[in-house]
Amino acid sequence: MTGAQEFERVLDGSDKNVASFEHQGVPLIKRAQHFLHSTPAAVPLIVLVLAIIIFGIALGGRFFSSYTLTLILQQIAIVGILGAAQTLVILTAGIDLSIGVIMVISAVIMGNVAITYGIPTPIAVIGGLLVGGLCGLLNGFLVAFMKLPPFIVTLGTWNIVMATNFIYSANETIRDADVDAQAPLLHLFAASFRLGTAVLTLGVIAMVLLVLLLWYELNHTAWGRHVYAVGDDPEAAKLSGIQTKRVLLTVYTMSGVIAAFAAWVSIGRNGSISPSSAVTDYNLQAITATVIGGISLFGGRGSILGTLFGAMIVGVVSMGLNMLGADPQWKVLLTGVLIIAAVAIDQWIRKVSV
């Protein structure tokens, strides 16, 4: 008993201050590097705010109007959804070059099943989603089980899906009027509503909700942690008990389904269904939004919120330059600069963990 009391007296006289790590000796640049490393969506958000301020100063009230800002959101809805699909793949240190054509063939399937074959529109939509999922499943199987490089696999399936799209559709466009008359549900995401003076479409709401859902899945579920782990170090993830093949298969399949969902949104946005839109650079636009959004091409780092910000940056720059009457090539030039800058910043931020 006496020994216990002596021990307590020693504890009473001990220092009770909590250990802390001072940042006084850490340079400001290092602290910024640590902050950006822990908050990957911060860089694209800062760039987005700066872009809005710059064009707002140059254009005045015209640019800051709710109509202009919501129009930007409407224009990036499709790319934002495809960027979300691309983000999942790039987080696993892969890449999907086929999501653009998967979106187009899914739209063609939806349109033909509903209009040409006269099958109820809900079944047509499900059919399009299934086609997108099967295309993604094929990519995932070849990457996860056949151990083929994602770039080569998706480059190959890009050609296969594009050719199938043109062969199946005979390159015939389904007109806007026919969709309205026979399958108005395909135009669901074109529906708009007012929020004060702002005009939003269901396509914009779908993009935001999808990104928020995926953000939750990636940050608050075991599956999301596994995605980051596989992208960061697949061998270490496998040794820790993560079924890396299943994760890759799931990610590529989800990418295909999301691309098919983007097809439904695109029908509402474009009105008609054109197989020839497969030649549009949707793949590059999605990759651009993802990279500018701070998703590391080396995998395992980044936030899907950054992808949304990246798509908005491209939309703001495009709209701002159009309103200034600038040559369209300036948009291409600035996009290239932003991509290189994003990769350079990612490399600099990654050094914090070295």
Side-chain angles (χ1 to χ4, degrees), residues 33 41 56 73 104 139 144 173 179 213 221 230 246 284-285 319 339:
Q33 192 178 18
L73 289 174
V104 174
N139 287 334
T173 298
V179 176
L213 175 63
T221 67
V230 170
R246 179 180 295 180
L284 289 179
Q285 291 178 28
M319 177 66 74
I339 291 173

Side-chain angles (χ1 to χ4, degrees), residues 10-67:
V10 172
L11 286 179
D12 288 339
S14 63
D15 187 1
K16 296 182 177 61
N17 291 328
V18 178
S20 62
F21 298 93
E22 298 295 336
H23 294 282
Q24 293 177 355
V26 181
L28 180 61
I29 193 74
K30 277 289 183 183
R31 275 184 274 173
Q33 192 178 18
H34 278 274
F35 170 74
L36 296 177
H37 185 271
S38 61
T39 316
V43 173
L45 178 59
I46 292 170
V47 174
L48 174 62
V49 172
L50 288 175
I52 292 175
I53 291 173
I54 290 170
F55 284 112
I57 293 172
L59 294 164
R62 286 192 302 154
F63 189 79
F64 280 121
S65 68
S66 57
Y67 173 78

